Amino acid sequence: MSASKTQVSSFSPNVPNVTSPQNPGLKRGPNGTTFVSSGIPDLDKILGGGFSLGSLVMVMEDADAPHHMLLLRNFMSQGLVHKQPLFYASPSRDPRGFLGTLPNPRSFEDEKSRDLPHPPSFEDEKSREHDPSNDKKLRIAWQYEKYIGEPQRNISSSNGARHDYCNDFDLRKPLERQFFNGAHVDCVSIKDLTNFTLLQDQCATFLAQFSRKESKVSPAGRIAIQSFCSPQCKYSNMEWQMLSFIRSLKSMAQSSNAVVVVTFPSSLPSPSCSKRLQHMADTLLSVKAIPDEDKEMEKLLTGYKDMVGLLNIHKVARLNTQVPLILETTTFSLKLEKRRFLVLECLNQAPVDGSSGDSYGKSGGCSGSTKAGPLEF
Amino acid sequence: MEPQASNLLDEALGFHGHANPGRPGGRFVLIEDCLDTSGAVVLHHLIKRSLVSHPYSVVIFLAFNHPFAHYDRILRKLGCNLAAQRDNSRFFFIDMLMCQCPDDGKIPQFWLTGLFEKIEGLISSLHPDSKNFVTIMIDDVSLFEVAANGSSNDVLDFMHYCLTLTSEFDSTFVALDHKDIYLDGEKPILILEMEYLADILIKVEPLATGLAKDVHGQLTVMNKETQNPQISSPIKIRNFHFRIKENSIEYFYPGTKAW
């Protein structure tokens, strides 16, 4: 009896993740939610599609390493590539300078070299010439490709329907100017902020353009706030104001087509305040640095040398549903593929020699656990 | 089995075999959850239970956490149309998302008094038959504190007032709070006092071994009303596991479910 009951009630419609044709930056998810990409393809996959519109994403920083900046950069770049308006606040004196460090999407050449391992040979060229379906236009485009500006190339690469929704970002190349052309980017410094009214008003005006009531296919907006409540901001004695600012930011985001990403050092505010912030988050991530020369860890984990840090997923936004998303594993290693592209990988435990529980250890390597420890087996 | 099958949670709450099946009368139910496991499930369950228990029952919901659409979608999957109940004046959704106590040095009491008067007004305007079937719910208390600029004492006072109001009408008061906020606490007074006042305390925790696909967490229900002879079970503290689905929640004793 219980089996049949399980079958009936565990039915859930499998909503296909469809990218809406008018807006490549949006993807429809289950339960009437819409996703925007986090800018990291792996993270999108893990979170079930990306960040939900109307959700508050909080990233707990590691005091020792700026890994949260990696997440922020990709998030912001992805927004600019999709021509989504961006609001950025940071405690630095010149927040606009940060835009110069944003990564560029994987270039067409990279893409091609990945898609077609061999460069087009002479035969290809010939068949291209003899193929009646290849008209003159295409040949011109082929020959003069280097003269065609980046936007067209990007469009052509995105026509391959591979990276419409989420791009790979090359951390070594700064985001090209053309993505800033006509882009709506607000930059605000939260250094020496004495009260939150101004920042709150700025966020409110920014979010007002994405109000859900006005039109259905309005573009999505992104708000990125870096190092909220860091010492530079000098509001350590204003915890309740801080909390109520985040609360109102969350409420505003809930009624608009926007995603808010806030990174904060979780150890700086008082423990209860930090917990409150974590509770407010719809999606809660944390980044951790890994020590450079940890021999024991190196023995334990395969690929330890390529790791730059660890990403923990504590909570995934569950809008309009009560069913939690249970991940296979909550700890992922942050790696730089070819020193350029940010990828996330499950931790792989290397086989321990001479240990009796060898097979056991291997199978338990990626088991999910929600304890906040950096590594769990 | 009864036609309206009651589950372990209902049993633990005393719905099972109670004089008024489907609702705990004149009680304070406190739900405590933590970061890993959300207690919202229990809240959704109680909304549904309260609304279907009696044709005149009324729920007054103070929402600090999510907009109406969120609850509406969830409850619809559970088989309860909140929008319709709202139109029938059986579900009062008080949207507190953007409400913030004015931070101009004034004490937040005025703000809270206004809120309380609103609730009181709602109850007094109800049909006399409904008055004894009112449930007031708060989702969640920690955000309420933030909205009140951190003056926990005033929030506590507000809850006292609400409790007095509900006991006057023999109705129910349900509050959700996050226990882990107060653990390393400077101000645990709020949660301690609420725990003391609560007639039924529901703790929502993850499994000690971490979350699993099949078991989403465990519930510990402490029912302090054991002197009530109508409650069939003499067990004071019950502990069981649950698994959340879109349209229902499965409750089972540890180890009794095999997939």
Side-chain angles (χ1 to χ4, degrees):
Chain A
M1 184 204 108
S2 71
S4 67
K5 213 168 97 186
T6 312
Q7 273 173 2
V8 171
S9 49
S10 68
F11 167 77
S12 64
N14 198 359
V15 183
N17 283 338
V18 191
T19 320
S20 60
Q22 315 95 326
N23 212 332
L26 301 179
K27 197 194 241 182
R28 217 162 293 150
N31 304 312
T33 53
T34 312
F35 291 121
V36 294
S37 170
S38 64
I40 305 169
D42 292 333
L43 185 59
D44 284 353
K45 249 177 257 164
I46 294 163
L47 296 177
F51 295 149
S52 315
L53 284 186
S55 72
L56 169 68
V57 181
M58 301 206 75
V59 181
M60 295 194 272
E61 300 172 6
D62 184 345
D64 300 331
H67 292 326
H68 58 276
M69 305 287 253
L70 290 174
L71 301 185
L72 268 187
R73 282 198 185 103
N74 280 29
F75 172 74
M76 290 166 68
S77 272
Q78 185 69 73
L80 289 174
V81 168
H82 286 320
K83 305 234 171 301
Q84 289 161 349
L86 176 70
F87 180 94
Y88 172 65
S90 103
S92 81
R93 208 176 291 274
D94 172 31
R96 201 160 269 278
F98 184 69
L99 298 179
T101 68
L102 295 184
N104 200 43
R106 188 193 275 262
S107 65
F108 185 54
E109 286 79 21
D110 280 337
E111 199 112 330
K112 231 171 54 181
S113 70
R114 206 175 65 161
D115 293 348
L116 315 161
H118 308 293
S121 60
F122 182 60
E123 280 85 7
D124 288 342
E125 199 70 50
K126 265 191 125 176
S127 68
R128 195 181 290 273
E129 272 171 52
H130 292 298
D131 193 348
S133 66
N134 279 315
D135 57 359
K136 207 177 164 190
K137 242 188 200 168
L138 182 62
R139 241 185 304 151
I140 287 174
W142 176 257
Q143 284 167 344
Y144 291 93
E145 195 182 54
K146 59 183 169 186
Y147 298 114
I148 298 172
E150 199 67 21
Q152 283 94 330
R153 279 202 263 166
N154 251 293
I155 288 164
S156 66
S157 74
S158 68
N159 277 346
R162 280 198 60 154
H163 290 279
D164 294 11
Y165 171 67
C166 182
N167 295 82
D168 271 327
F169 285 95
D170 186 340
L171 298 179
R172 288 184 154 192
K173 283 191 194 152
L175 190 62
E176 286 176 21
R177 287 219 78 80
Q178 39 115 350
F179 289 115
F180 291 107
N181 289 341
H184 177 134
V185 185
D186 289 340
C187 291
V188 173
S189 174
I190 49 172
K191 190 176 156 62
D192 300 333
L193 196 72
T194 44
N195 73 51
F196 291 97
T197 331
L198 183 64
L199 185 59
Q200 193 169 332
D201 289 347
Q202 282 164 332
C203 289
T205 12
F206 179 80
L207 286 173
Q209 356 167 20
F210 311 109
S211 173
R212 284 213 179 139
K213 284 160 199 162
E214 282 173 16
S215 64
K216 275 200 168 174
V217 276
S218 74
R222 296 180 182 227
I223 291 188
I225 300 180
Q226 181 210 325
S227 304
F228 186 70
C229 67
S230 69
Q232 292 101 308
C233 309
K234 294 186 184 158
Y235 39 74
S236 54
N237 52 348
M238 294 162 59
E239 281 186 348
W240 288 107
Q241 282 97 319
M242 240 160 63
L243 287 167
S244 55
F245 167 71
I246 294 289
R247 189 181 89 90
S248 60
L249 192 59
K250 182 184 175 181
S251 315
M252 288 191 286
Q254 274 170 342
S255 57
S256 58
N257 280 325
V259 177
V260 181
V261 174
V262 180
T263 72
F264 73 104
S266 56
S267 50
L268 274 181
S270 69
S272 65
C273 175
S274 171
K275 267 279 184 282
R276 278 175 200 272
L277 286 171
Q278 294 172 36
H279 270 289
M280 278 186 212
D282 290 307
T283 300
L284 182 65
L285 313 172
S286 71
V287 283
K288 275 217 166 62
I290 48 174
D292 258 348
E293 299 265 321
D294 192 334
K295 289 273 160 59
E296 285 197 6
M297 288 282 262
E298 203 172 329
K299 258 189 250 165
L300 273 173
L301 299 171
T302 47
Y304 180 75
K305 277 185 182 162
D306 311 325
M307 291 181 196
V308 291
L310 296 170
L311 178 86
N312 258 290
I313 296 170
H314 302 269
K315 213 156 87 165
V316 182
R318 302 311 283 160
L319 304 181
N320 302 336
T321 178
Q322 58 174 355
V323 181
L325 183 69
I326 308 290
L327 300 168
E328 287 285 313
T329 169
T330 54
T331 308
F332 295 88
S333 60
L334 284 167
K335 284 185 182 173
L336 291 180
E337 186 190 286
K338 297 182 197 158
R339 298 196 175 180
R340 284 162 180 259
F341 309 106
L342 196 61
V343 292
L344 298 177
E345 278 177 17
C346 295
L347 294 180
N348 284 314
Q349 196 181 3
V352 185
D353 21 278
S355 125
S356 58
D358 198 4
S359 60
Y360 182 76
K362 262 192 271 181
S363 64
C366 283
S367 68
S369 162
T370 51
K371 290 285 167 276
L375 295 169
E376 67 263 353
F377 306 111
Chain B
M1 233 185 202
E2 293 170 24
Q4 194 189 14
S6 72
N7 51 42
L8 283 177
L9 178 62
D10 290 337
E11 246 172 73
L13 290 173
F15 290 146
H16 186 70
H18 197 267
N20 288 317
R23 57 176 289 283
R27 295 190 233 172
F28 176 22
V29 180
L30 176 65
I31 308 163
E32 287 180 352
D33 68 356
C34 56
L35 203 57
D36 296 323
T37 314
S38 166
V41 197
V42 183
L43 205 65
H44 302 147
H45 177 85
L46 288 178
I47 296 177
K48 190 196 168 187
R49 265 283 164 185
S50 312
L51 283 175
V52 301
S53 64
H54 193 274
Y56 285 111
S57 59
V58 164
V59 172
I60 299 172
F61 197 89
L62 269 80
F64 289 89
N65 209 354
H66 292 286
F68 178 76
H70 174 84
Y71 301 103
D72 187 32
R73 266 185 185 267
I74 290 174
L75 265 291
R76 198 164 292 187
K77 282 177 207 151
L78 292 176
C80 177
N81 190 341
L82 280 192
Q85 303 283 20
R86 187 176 59 172
D87 296 340
N88 291 342
S89 301
R90 288 190 55 206
F91 183 75
F92 295 95
F93 189 81
I94 305 180
D95 190 337
M96 303 295 292
L97 288 176
M98 292 306 290
C99 291
Q100 177 71 33
C101 174
D103 181 27
D104 47 4
K106 266 191 261 170
I107 28 176
Q109 280 154 3
F110 296 108
W111 180 70
L112 288 171
T113 318
L115 182 60
F116 181 72
E117 279 167 358
K118 192 174 175 182
I119 294 174
E120 207 179 14
L122 271 180
I123 294 181
S124 60
S125 69
L126 288 175
H127 189 270
D129 287 341
S130 295
K131 277 187 184 164
N132 290 337
F133 298 96
V134 179
T135 308
I136 303 174
M137 293 189 173
I138 298 184
D139 180 23
D140 57 66
V141 178
S142 73
L143 290 173
F144 192 2
E145 273 182 283
V146 174
N149 289 329
S151 61
S152 314
N153 286 340
D154 292 314
V155 173
L156 209 49
D157 285 349
F158 177 84
M159 311 252 286
H160 269 292
Y161 275 105
C162 284
L163 269 179
T164 320
L165 193 68
T166 49
S167 58
E168 199 177 310
F169 291 110
D170 189 32
S171 46
T172 312
F173 183 62
V174 180
L176 172 71
D177 206 354
H178 309 301
K179 173 88 177 173
D180 46 359
I181 290 176
Y182 309 91
L183 279 182
D184 8 48
E186 300 112 62
K187 277 196 252 172
I189 178 77
L190 181 85
I191 195 87
L192 290 180
E193 203 153 321
M194 281 200 304
E195 279 180 9
Y196 180 79
L197 290 171
D199 298 304
I200 299 175
L201 179 62
I202 306 175
K203 285 185 182 176
V204 188
E205 291 157 324
L207 293 182
T209 49
L211 293 190
K213 277 234 182 311
D214 300 333
V215 184
H216 290 159
Q218 60 179 331
L219 289 173
T220 311
V221 181
M222 279 191 249
N223 198 334
K224 296 183 189 167
E225 289 187 323
T226 38
Q227 71 273 25
N228 189 338
Q230 282 172 320
I231 291 179
S232 53
S233 165
I235 304 169
K236 204 176 173 189
I237 297 177
R238 292 188 188 219
N239 181 291
F240 43 89
H241 292 171
F242 63 91
R243 185 191 190 197
I244 307 166
K245 292 175 179 172
E246 286 287 1
N247 54 1
S248 65
I249 305 151
E250 280 179 25
Y251 303 95
F252 46 91
Y253 285 115
T256 58
K257 201 90 185 174
W259 278 282

